[in-house]
Amino acid sequence: MRWGLSDEERKIAFKIVRDALQIFLEDTSRLERNYFSTLPPRFSLRADIDVAFWIHGRLRGSSVVEGMS
């Protein structure tokens, strides 16, 4: 995020990622819409996001999403 994340926001972001990966790897589904209703408002702001997944210095996956919350 342009202005960085607080320690608490960073914890929340990592929890979202863990939960999303766990449910996807278990049965290829996605987090339910109501999962996001309890998140702080900052996580609903529209933004361009680039996520990269690195393992042992090698890029294993990447995705760019534009204008999404």
Side-chain angles (χ1 to χ4, degrees):
M1 297 185 112
R2 181 178 298 169
W3 298 281
L5 296 173
S6 69
D7 288 341
E8 185 61 31
E9 289 169 332
R10 199 171 286 125
K11 288 177 188 176
I12 292 169
F14 281 121
K15 182 179 180 343
I16 295 167
V17 171
R18 278 190 223 97
D19 292 347
L21 282 172
Q22 180 179 1
I23 198 165
F24 178 78
L25 293 173
E26 286 175 354
D27 61 9
T28 67
S29 63
R30 296 180 179 198
L31 293 172
E32 297 290 330
R33 189 177 257 318
N34 64 355
Y35 176 94
F36 300 97
S37 65
T38 61
L39 296 176
R42 184 166 187 194
F43 285 89
S44 296
L45 297 175
R46 293 211 174 271
D48 297 338
I49 300 172
D50 179 14
V51 177
F53 185 62
W54 295 82
I55 298 178
H56 303 295
R58 294 184 60 203
L59 181 63
R60 303 300 295 174
S62 179
S63 180
V64 176
V65 179
E66 296 181 25
M68 298 294 290
S69 48

